[in-house]
Amino acid sequence: MAFIFKKKKNPKQIVDGLLDHITALPSKSKVEAVAKVAMANAEESLTGSMRKQKDAAPGSIRSKDAGSSGSEEVTQTTTASADGAVGVGDGLSPNDLAALDGLEKRLAEIRVILTGTADSPPKEDESSQLARFLLDADVPMKLLSNLGSVTFETRKSIVIVFNFLLHVQEPLELQTIVSRYLRSRAKEIIRLLLSYYSMENLALHAGDMMRQCLVHPSLYHECLSDDMVVLNHFFDTFLQMDSFEICSDAFATFRDILTKQKQFVSEFLEKNYEQFFPKYTALLQSEQYVTQRQSLKLLSELLLDRQNYNTMIRFIGDKKNLILVMNLMRVKSPAMRLEAFHVFKIFVANPHKTQEITEILQRNRDKLVAYLKNFTTEVANPHKTQEITEILQRNRDKLVAYLKNFTTEREDENFQEERKLLISTMVALPPFEKKEGEAA
């Protein structure tokens, strides 16, 4: 009896097959149209299912088959449209579906070769050779360009393959090839990922890859370019979005950009202080609670980092910044007041205060001392019902899981000592002498 064994494809054949599937993919506009129809069908099915339940007699028991059938119908339709893409045959030709299916299978095969499995590690030679062919054929950019035209599972594979290539460490020759490729494509990669942040079905995938990009200097520098193209998108759009999930992910990326490579960030902040900080202080007044609080917390970290000493001195020498922080110490949110306190203490503890900063502190000395003496009783309990209620009202159910962890943050170990130091420093200030004709 003769057995026919399927010959294993070599890396070049695998990449050539992948390129064929990419070329045959349906257009993005076609996929978006299908997703729109699928979403409409899902909403119609869900509405019909809810109407049937409403029309059912009170106390009646529906048969298991009937109940499960309606549930499956709605679940299947919404699953198809949940990622805003494909998986639904309506509107797509057999060739379109074949290309999507083929791409998904080929990427799954590539994932195994590059990263191995739980039971079998990757073969280094085979993995390295495949990675070279992928880069030579410009596959990373081709996959990223088609992120909106593929299934959710395929997107996950694209993220894994892309992130694998970013983190290649050996052999050294392959690492060099990867670095050269990323340098040549840095601007295109970052701008493309940036464009996906405004698309709800692609934003989280883009955020994941963008944060991974920061391990490479060429990609990092593109994020912190002097024209601030990338940061301005975060300032003006992504950190102000209504979607809590996307807004939180965007802030995680924004934070990594400003903290991962401290020396480069320090140089950037000094060079672009006048362009950067007006935008940043606007975040401290954002209507998005999470953005406002996280920005305040990040500001404290940036100012206290030794590498940013010159930037800190410039920031705490500006009276507009002190007034902003003092106003934030008066907001309703106890958690926000605590974050503002951590920034305020930097102004007070500065032994070389500017004259205008000293005058503001002198003018408000008595009020600040009284405020600080009662401060710990106002914010020591992060589980306050009022705080949780306020956040829930702003962001509703999406925040619940996040808040359970977010509100467990407590004061650091040095809080009491810092509070005492600030109070004693404020008391030691001479009374403010009002100039003749000046309003109180």
Side-chain angles (χ1 to χ4, degrees):
M1 183 176 179
F3 292 93
I4 300 177
F5 294 94
K6 190 174 182 180
K7 186 178 179 182
K8 184 177 180 181
K9 297 183 179 67
N10 61 45
K12 186 179 186 308
Q13 291 173 323
I14 292 173
V15 173
D16 288 342
L18 181 71
L19 293 173
D20 289 340
H21 292 308
I22 292 175
T23 303
L25 284 174
S27 66
K28 182 181 176 183
S29 59
K30 190 174 184 179
V31 172
E32 289 176 346
V34 172
K36 187 176 181 180
V37 172
M39 182 62 76
N41 291 339
E43 292 176 354
E44 183 179 349
S45 298
L46 183 59
T47 302
S49 177
M50 293 174 65
R51 188 180 297 115
K52 289 178 182 179
Q53 292 180 17
K54 184 177 181 181
D55 293 341
S60 62
I61 301 175
R62 301 180 62 190
S63 68
K64 182 177 180 181
D65 291 340
S68 61
S69 175
S71 175
E72 287 174 4
E73 181 182 355
V74 174
T75 301
Q76 289 171 1
T77 310
T78 51
T79 299
S81 61
D83 59 16
V86 292
V88 185
D90 296 347
L92 294 180
S93 69
N95 288 338
D96 292 335
L97 294 175
L100 291 165
D101 183 61
L103 180 62
E104 185 172 329
K105 290 178 179 177
R106 190 55 57 90
L107 276 173
E109 182 181 4
I110 289 173
R111 281 176 57 179
V112 172
I113 296 174
L114 292 178
T115 65
T117 64
D119 301 322
S120 176
K123 297 178 181 178
E124 185 175 319
D125 291 344
E126 187 179 16
S127 175
S128 298
Q129 190 177 10
L130 177 58
R132 286 189 180 92
F133 278 111
L134 291 171
L135 294 169
D136 289 343
D138 198 23
V139 168
M141 274 303 300
K142 287 182 169 67
L143 290 176
L144 290 182
S145 298
N146 286 281
L147 198 65
S149 302
V150 299
T151 65
F152 181 76
E153 288 301 319
T154 303
R155 285 180 201 152
K156 291 198 297 184
S157 293
I158 290 174
V159 172
I160 290 172
V161 170
F162 183 77
N163 289 348
F164 172 84
L165 294 173
L166 287 175
H167 289 277
V168 166
Q169 296 293 326
E170 52 185 30
L172 185 60
E173 181 184 355
L174 178 58
Q175 184 186 32
T176 303
I177 294 173
V178 170
S179 297
R180 187 184 306 124
Y181 176 83
L182 294 176
R183 281 198 302 272
S184 68
R185 288 293 206 173
K187 187 172 184 176
E188 294 167 275
I189 290 173
I190 295 301
R191 301 295 169 89
L192 187 57
L193 293 176
L194 199 64
S195 70
Y196 290 150
Y197 244 127
S198 59
M199 305 177 191
E200 189 171 356
N201 59 325
L202 303 179
L204 301 185
H205 297 293
D208 185 355
M209 289 186 282
M210 200 163 184
R211 288 189 291 275
Q212 298 300 321
C213 284
L214 300 179
V215 301
H216 276 273
S218 57
L219 296 174
Y220 200 111
H221 287 200
E222 186 62 36
C223 291
L224 275 183
S225 58
D226 289 338
D227 58 13
M228 284 183 44
V229 169
V230 173
L231 288 180
N232 282 337
H233 275 81
F234 282 90
F235 282 131
D236 301 335
T237 306
F238 306 146
L239 298 180
Q240 310 293 346
M241 295 182 76
D242 292 332
S243 169
F244 168 72
E245 193 173 20
I246 296 177
C247 190
S248 297
D249 188 274
F251 196 90
T253 304
F254 179 73
R255 187 185 189 284
D256 279 1
I257 291 174
L258 293 175
T259 58
K260 285 297 183 183
Q261 294 192 25
K262 294 185 176 182
Q263 180 59 43
F264 182 62
V265 171
S266 174
E267 294 171 1
F268 171 84
L269 292 178
E270 283 193 52
K271 185 177 181 181
N272 300 281
Y273 182 94
E274 293 180 359
Q275 292 76 35
F276 177 85
F277 274 99
K279 293 268 191 177
Y280 195 98
T281 52
L283 293 182
L284 304 182
Q285 303 168 74
S286 171
E287 294 182 0
Q288 293 286 352
Y289 173 83
V290 174
T291 294
Q292 187 183 29
R293 182 182 172 187
Q294 294 285 46
S295 298
L296 196 53
K297 185 175 183 179
L298 176 58
L299 176 62
S300 177
E301 294 178 31
L302 291 174
L303 295 180
L304 290 173
D305 191 309
R306 291 183 179 180
Q307 301 249 24
N308 299 328
Y309 177 80
N310 291 336
T311 297
M312 177 199 71
I313 292 298
R314 188 170 180 180
F315 185 89
I316 64 176
D318 189 332
K319 69 176 183 180
K320 291 184 294 186
N321 295 332
L322 175 58
I323 292 171
L324 173 60
V325 172
M326 288 171 63
N327 285 331
L328 289 172
M329 291 172 67
R330 301 170 58 192
V331 299
K332 291 181 179 180
S333 167
M336 191 77 75
R337 291 199 296 270
L338 178 60
E339 299 299 349
F341 166 81
H342 286 306
V343 178
F344 175 70
K345 68 188 182 186
I346 304 174
F347 285 90
V348 178
N350 178 20
H352 306 294
K353 300 177 188 66
T354 62
Q355 181 62 32
E356 58 183 10
I357 295 296
T358 301
E359 287 186 0
I360 291 174
L361 293 175
Q362 289 174 338
R363 186 194 299 269
N364 296 277
R365 185 190 69 164
D366 295 339
K367 292 179 181 178
L368 285 169
V369 170
Y371 175 86
L372 289 170
K373 286 181 177 178
N374 297 318
F375 187 63
T376 187
T377 61
E378 296 178 359
V379 298
N381 181 8
H383 298 287
K384 271 190 173 184
T385 303
Q386 179 184 355
E387 174 69 4
I388 297 176
T389 302
E390 179 182 340
I391 300 170
L392 289 176
Q393 287 174 337
R394 289 173 180 270
N395 299 279
R396 294 190 176 91
D397 298 338
K398 291 183 180 181
L399 270 170
V400 173
Y402 179 81
L403 288 172
K404 287 181 179 178
N405 295 321
F406 194 75
T407 54
T408 57
E409 298 176 2
R410 298 183 181 275
E411 305 137 352
D412 56 52
E413 296 177 357
N414 297 321
F415 175 78
Q416 295 295 341
E417 290 301 320
E418 291 171 345
R419 184 182 69 86
K420 291 177 181 178
L421 173 62
L422 287 177
I423 291 175
S424 62
T425 303
M426 296 300 303
V427 171
L429 286 172
F432 178 74
E433 296 181 4
K434 185 172 63 173
K435 298 176 182 178
E436 185 177 351
E438 183 180 6

